[in-house]
Amino acid sequence: EDEDEDEEEVLRGVVVGEDLVLVDDKKRIAYSSIRTDEGELQPIGIVDEKGNVIVPQRTSHPWDCDESDHCETPELAYKHIVPLLVLLCKAMGISKRSELRIYDPYFCAGGVRVHLSKYGFTHVYNKCEDFYKVIETNALPSYDVIVTNPPYSSVPQDHVVDLVEFLTTKQTKPWFVVQPNYVYTKEAWQRVVFGDVLPYIRKNKSLENGSDKSRNKPNLGCDPLPFYLTPAAPRSYTYIAPEHLRSSLSKKKQLKTSPFVTFWFCCLSTFQADVLEACAKENAMAGMEVSFAMKPRYLKDVFKDGKDKSRRKNKKKKQKQQQQQQVNETTGRKGNKERRQVKGSTSGKRRFSSNGCGNEEANTEKAHVPDKPKKNKRKKKNRNKNKGEMKKKQSN
């Protein structure tokens, strides 16, 4: 009891917005004031170096949006790009992680600030404001890199396409975007990224393979082209829906979802070659269980979209299904045919079992046998008995 009292004394209450948060200054962890069913504290945020409490915010959005878009990116996804952010700092000449200005234009509940702050990236701009109005009014904040997870809905506004248009035409800074695998197969997304190169690639695949060194190449929409960072498994990233933003959620199980295969789409602008080279030399991604793909065709098949023609189908599984189908069809025709023969015949033919395999002994009671000496009948019976015994031995 004394130890519990000591632990409670360490925690102090802080009001953030309309919520009461319990703060542990020694561990620099912020807990929810509501405990779990088991009576345990729920960590919901952190305390930065200046003593500021960073927690997700329970705010409503002042713009119209699809309720299903309210999902927070998990910490694991941010953890996978931390080594690249560190190398990006070096390439930009930034000495401290806290000095890297990160901009997430899509606000959900502010979880990105919590997760990135755990790895030292405390300068994160993610506020409850309409990103598209910010663009219209030219009120973009100062930033070094964009790290975001856009809404996946496309009606009435296709956020994925609008975002990539902004990234490739209205700014030149590096960006990391986590989004579904079907995005790279979208015609609109390909048109924006590849620009005038898209029709050229379709006529001349040597450019995509990297073998065409002609000087008359069309301009890329995104230069350099983005690369892709995938986790260990296709649905490793489980997104969390804030309960106060999803009125349809009544059970705890519904708060976590992973409806799509998602991974990082990355473009590091003029720093891309240096960062990737340093990443390979320093083995910066060791222990991360992630994979790089410089082009969509180099993605693992489990991460490729179903519309991707380069996705290899499981030939072994398909062959097994075809073989099984052929066996079923052949067995069914043979069994029906031979069963018809047995029914329409009065001669002494072998009766086949219901599955058409013919393993039952011959039935000669109804067979018409011509008048012959008794010796012949006995020999025939003996032969039938011998055959039956031989079959039993073989089957055993």
Side-chain angles (χ1 to χ4, degrees):
E1 294 180 358
D2 294 338
E3 292 180 359
D4 294 338
E5 291 178 359
D6 293 339
E7 289 182 1
E8 292 179 359
E9 289 178 359
V10 174
L11 301 178
R12 62 184 177 91
V14 178
V15 178
V16 180
E18 298 179 356
D19 298 329
L20 175 63
V21 179
L22 303 178
V23 177
D24 187 338
D25 292 315
K26 291 183 178 180
K27 297 181 180 179
R28 297 173 62 182
I29 299 176
Y31 299 95
S32 171
S33 59
I34 302 174
R35 294 177 179 264
T36 62
D37 296 336
E38 293 77 15
E40 297 179 355
L41 292 170
Q42 301 183 72
I44 59 172
I46 66 166
V47 181
D48 63 10
E49 298 174 353
K50 298 180 181 179
N52 299 321
V53 180
I54 302 175
V55 295
Q57 302 175 23
R58 296 174 60 89
T59 58
S60 58
H61 296 75
W63 61 88
D64 294 333
C65 51
D66 192 337
E67 192 178 74
S68 60
D69 286 333
H70 296 314
C71 284
E72 285 284 299
T73 307
E75 181 183 347
L76 178 63
Y78 294 113
K79 180 181 178 181
H80 286 165
I81 63 170
V82 165
L84 295 177
L85 290 175
V86 173
L87 293 174
L88 184 62
C89 286
K90 294 180 180 179
M92 289 182 169
I94 299 174
S95 58
K96 296 181 180 180
R97 299 185 184 186
S98 59
E99 295 177 357
L100 181 68
R101 298 171 299 176
I102 299 175
Y103 177 37
D104 184 353
Y106 295 102
F107 180 85
C108 180
V112 59
R113 298 175 63 238
V114 177
H115 297 315
L116 288 176
S117 295
K118 291 180 181 179
Y119 300 99
F121 299 99
T122 56
H123 200 321
V124 180
Y125 187 99
N126 179 232
K127 294 184 178 181
C128 186
E129 55 188 18
D130 189 345
F131 173 46
Y132 304 109
K133 284 188 177 180
V134 170
I135 296 175
E136 290 177 2
T137 57
N138 196 22
L140 289 169
S142 300
Y143 64 90
D144 299 313
V145 58
I146 290 178
V147 178
T148 189
N149 176 15
Y152 299 158
S153 61
S154 57
V155 178
Q157 188 168 9
D158 196 334
H159 300 281
V160 170
V161 175
D162 291 342
L163 173 62
V164 74
E165 286 181 352
F166 167 77
L167 296 175
T168 56
T169 62
K170 298 180 181 180
Q171 67 96 44
T172 58
K173 302 293 181 65
W175 47 268
F176 295 83
V177 181
V178 60
Q179 51 193 355
N181 63 344
Y182 63 77
V183 171
Y184 75 85
T185 62
K186 273 192 169 187
E187 181 72 20
W189 194 87
Q190 291 181 351
R191 183 179 64 254
V192 173
V193 172
F194 289 100
D196 298 335
V197 177
L198 184 59
Y200 180 77
I201 288 178
R202 290 174 177 171
K203 294 180 181 179
N204 185 0
K205 293 184 178 180
S206 59
L207 175 63
E208 187 179 0
N209 296 332
S211 59
D212 189 357
K213 298 182 180 179
S214 62
R215 297 181 180 179
N216 297 324
K217 292 180 184 177
N219 294 325
L220 287 169
C222 178
D223 191 14
L225 290 175
F227 64 93
Y228 310 90
L229 186 69
T230 59
R235 296 180 188 270
S236 296
Y237 298 154
T238 302
Y239 299 86
I240 302 172
E243 190 173 1
H244 67 283
L245 295 176
R246 301 284 288 273
S247 59
S248 61
L249 299 179
S250 58
K251 297 181 180 179
K252 292 183 179 180
K253 292 182 179 178
Q254 294 177 307
L255 294 175
K256 296 182 179 181
T257 180
S258 182
F260 304 107
V261 176
T262 56
F263 49 81
W264 287 102
F265 292 58
C266 315
C267 179
L268 306 185
S269 186
T270 56
F271 308 100
Q272 182 156 306
D274 295 336
V275 170
L276 293 179
E277 184 179 357
C279 183
K281 288 183 179 179
E282 300 177 14
N283 195 18
M285 307 300 288
M288 282 290 181
E289 295 185 354
V290 295
S291 300
F292 283 91
M294 301 310 297
K295 296 176 183 177
R297 66 186 305 175
Y298 299 141
L299 289 168
K300 294 180 181 179
D301 288 331
V302 291
F303 289 98
K304 289 182 178 179
D305 182 57
K307 295 181 181 180
D308 191 342
K309 295 181 180 180
S310 67
R311 181 180 181 182
R312 294 176 295 179
K313 297 180 179 179
N314 193 333
K315 294 183 179 180
K316 292 183 179 180
K317 185 177 180 181
K318 188 175 180 181
Q319 288 175 357
K320 286 182 179 179
Q321 292 176 350
Q322 291 177 350
Q323 290 174 359
Q324 186 64 34
Q325 187 177 0
Q326 291 176 358
V327 169
N328 293 339
E329 292 177 356
T330 305
T331 305
R333 286 198 299 269
K334 184 176 180 182
N336 293 334
K337 182 178 179 180
E338 294 183 347
R339 280 196 292 272
R340 287 195 297 269
Q341 289 179 354
V342 172
K343 290 181 180 179
S345 161
T346 57
S347 61
K349 293 185 179 180
R350 176 180 294 179
R351 179 187 294 177
F352 284 79
S353 61
S354 59
N355 60 6
C357 297
N359 291 329
E360 294 185 2
E361 294 184 359
N363 183 5
T364 58
E365 293 179 0
K366 297 182 180 180
H368 176 71
V369 181
D371 295 336
K372 288 185 180 180
K374 292 183 180 180
K375 292 182 179 180
N376 293 338
K377 286 185 177 181
R378 289 175 182 174
K379 289 181 179 180
K380 190 170 184 178
K381 288 181 179 179
N382 292 333
R383 285 198 298 271
N384 290 337
K385 289 181 180 180
N386 294 333
K387 288 181 179 179
E389 291 176 358
M390 290 293 293
K391 287 182 179 179
K392 288 180 179 180
K393 290 181 180 180
Q394 291 176 359
S395 62
N396 293 334

